[in-house]
Amino acid sequence: MLPVVALVGRPNVGKSTLFNVLTRTRDALVHDMPGVTRDRHYGVCRLAPDKPFVIVDTGGLVDDATGLDAHTARQAELAMDEADVVVLTVDARDGLLPSDRAILDRLRRSGKPVLLGVNKVDGLDEHAALAEFAALGLAAALPLSAAHGRGVTALLAAIEPLLPEPTLDPLAETPDDGIRVAIVGRPNVGKSTLVNRLLGEERVIASDVPGTTRDSIRIALERDGKRYTLIDTAGIRRRARVEDAVEKFSVIKSLQSVEAAHVTVLVLDAREGVAEQDATLIGHVLASGRALVIAVNKWDGLDKYQREQCVTSLARKLDFAAWARQVYISALHGSGIGELMKAVNRAYASANHQFTSSELTRAVEAAYQAYQPPLVRGHTPKLKFAHPGGTNPPTIVIHGARTKHIADSYRRYLENFFRKRYRLEGTPVRIEFRDSDNPYAGKRNELTEGQQRRRTRMIRNAKRGQR
């Protein structure tokens, strides 16, 4: 395992900005509003190639934390417990505050090596800014400007001697290892509760307050010998109801997570059924070409009649995605979780199914013989051969004649034919038609000298016969 460095401090001191600079990503959501980060966010810093380490971004710590702030503080404490080095980040513009002293006292009791990162020193006298924080009694006080990348080299130089040697080869650890599974849905449907249940620990904050999760959190999971990367996303509401800037960025990152995933798990609330926003999310998943599993959560709170009504409603409203497996679960109590992961594995296997050109050509011939496409101007489109065009989603390229005029209904027929023939479950199937080119189009047949003599002799004999 790689050594761990945790970034802790008050809200809005620039921890997420520093996290993005160290990881050279934009994974952490950054905004001027305090309290944007709530969950632990992990990344790998490789700026020092000889000694890479895991960097952990945490939420801001406040005095007398209650509600969501208490959950955020708990996440920060867990990050401090597992860290080898802690970087206490402070704001040079705000100066030394009692909250900074309280956080430092907590860090000293942990016994972990602590570095002081004095952020936002751009435009200020660095010596004066550092002098104010000298009262904390820390030997290493490093001036930083995370927004401009200043001071990062000195910070890395201070961190490196404090890190233990990695127990494994760092190059063997790759981010996003295994099947990437994005957990999406409307706010307060139980996405974070489902992630915690899969992990068996309180990894992300789960609360009854809608919009608790703001960032997309990637978490490694190993289950039944298989490796996954779970992506917990923020709840996605209707666009008309999204007014806060932070929520807009959260929605964007959630949609980007869908495109980055192999399989998308759409979580529904069994008590509310399928809302218009759920159908919109499924449409985005289809447009992205990602495999889909529908998890109907809070199933344990329904009686027999309500369950029957829920199943009927889902079958009617999700008819356009009938190929997606529906699993009824209770994220709170853990029922149906095993079946959900089996559905994820089947969807992933179907999305990455490998075809051969010969078997696809035989399948196209069988589909064409069973049902031919409608006539186009008195002619029937011809389907000649097919070959694979990619995976995730499975793409099948069919060559033929007059394929530009094939109706969408016949395209859907072919999709269902391939899905049934190869038992593809939980993945869309894309069909691409290509007209075969005529190699002699636009070419004139030039006669040889012998052919020209025979043609002249044939015309002369024909004229004699007419006399």
Side-chain angles (χ1 to χ4, degrees), residues 263-267 291-295 324-327 340 343-345 347 426:
V263 181
T264 300
V265 176
L266 176 67
V267 183
L292 176 64
V293 176
I294 298 175
R325 178 71 180 275
Q326 298 177 13
V327 184
L340 174 64
V344 169
N345 294 333

Side-chain angles (χ1 to χ4, degrees), residues 17-224:
T17 304
L18 182 59
F19 174 88
N20 288 340
V21 172
L22 292 173
T23 59
R24 291 192 173 182
T25 64
R26 294 184 179 180
D27 290 343
L29 191 60
V30 177
H31 197 268
D32 291 336
M33 184 180 69
V36 172
T37 303
R38 290 172 176 166
D39 296 295
R40 285 173 285 165
H41 207 133
Y42 289 75
V44 179
C45 176
R46 302 186 185 275
L47 298 181
D50 297 334
K51 213 166 189 180
F53 56 88
V54 174
I55 190 79
V56 187
D57 182 25
T58 63
L61 297 173
V62 298
D63 298 330
D64 300 327
T66 58
L68 290 178
D69 290 335
H71 290 291
T72 302
R74 175 59 180 164
Q75 292 290 319
E77 290 174 356
L78 292 173
M80 287 186 275
D81 291 340
E82 67 178 340
D84 299 298
V85 179
V86 179
V87 178
L88 173 59
T89 311
V90 295
D91 191 334
R93 300 182 184 276
D94 294 341
L96 180 59
L97 298 180
S99 300
D100 298 323
R101 293 181 181 273
I103 296 172
L104 180 58
D105 291 340
R106 189 184 308 178
L107 293 175
R108 279 173 170 158
R109 288 193 297 269
S110 68
K112 301 293 180 66
V114 180
L115 297 176
L116 180 63
V118 184
N119 194 25
K120 304 182 184 180
V121 298
D122 44 313
L124 301 178
D125 185 352
E126 292 185 5
H127 297 288
L130 295 178
E132 183 177 2
F133 292 96
L136 294 177
L138 292 175
L142 306 169
L144 297 172
S145 175
H148 301 93
R150 290 177 51 197
V152 175
T153 303
L155 176 63
L156 292 173
I159 291 176
E160 189 171 356
L162 302 175
L163 296 177
E165 292 296 329
T167 57
L168 294 177
D169 182 10
L171 300 178
E173 296 193 8
T174 57
D176 296 340
D177 194 10
I179 304 174
R180 294 191 295 274
V181 183
I183 314 294
V184 301
R186 292 182 290 114
N188 209 28
V189 294
K191 301 182 296 297
S192 297
T193 305
L194 175 59
V195 171
N196 288 338
R197 174 59 63 178
L198 289 171
L199 296 171
E201 62 173 321
E202 190 180 350
R203 173 59 181 82
V204 292
I205 299 175
S207 173
D208 293 335
V209 179
T212 299
T213 303
R214 286 177 169 171
D215 218 333
S216 295
I217 309 297
R218 300 195 176 201
I219 311 159
L221 169 67
E222 184 171 351
R223 184 185 178 94
D224 297 333

Side-chain angles (χ1 to χ4, degrees), residues 299-453:
W299 185 250
D300 53 323
L302 304 182
D303 56 29
K304 183 178 179 181
Y305 175 76
Q306 290 174 326
R307 291 184 177 184
E308 292 176 353
Q309 293 297 313
C310 180
V311 172
T312 304
S313 176
L314 291 176
R316 183 179 70 256
K317 295 183 179 180
L318 298 180
D319 181 64
F320 67 98
W323 43 265
R325 178 71 180 275
Q326 298 177 13
V327 184
Y328 304 93
I329 67 172
S330 172
L332 184 62
H333 300 98
S335 60
I337 298 299
E339 190 65 25
L340 174 64
M341 297 310 295
K342 290 180 182 179
V344 169
N345 294 333
R346 285 194 291 267
Y348 176 77
S350 298
N352 292 274
H353 185 86
Q354 298 292 334
F355 298 97
T356 63
S357 299
S358 58
E359 65 176 351
L360 288 179
T361 300
R362 289 193 295 268
V364 168
E365 292 174 352
Y368 187 82
Q369 293 176 359
Y371 174 52
Q372 296 185 0
L375 295 176
V376 177
R377 298 177 182 177
H379 299 279
T380 302
K382 302 294 183 181
L383 305 182
K384 299 180 180 179
F385 65 95
H387 62 83
T391 57
N392 200 22
T395 303
I396 301 172
V397 182
I398 301 177
H399 294 259
R402 306 183 188 91
T403 58
K404 295 181 180 179
H405 305 287
I406 291 180
D408 292 337
S409 59
Y410 195 77
R411 182 191 299 270
R412 290 192 296 270
Y413 160 73
L414 290 177
E415 291 177 3
N416 294 329
F417 183 88
F418 284 111
R419 186 173 286 112
K420 183 177 180 180
R421 186 181 182 95
Y422 297 104
R423 297 180 181 178
L424 303 179
E425 178 183 307
T427 179
V429 178
R430 289 181 177 175
I431 306 293
E432 295 182 6
F433 293 108
R434 295 181 185 177
D435 275 346
S436 300
D437 296 330
N438 184 0
Y440 300 102
K443 293 184 179 181
R444 185 175 179 181
N445 187 13
E446 299 293 341
L447 300 179
T448 63
E449 293 182 2
Q451 291 174 336
Q452 187 65 37
R453 288 194 299 270

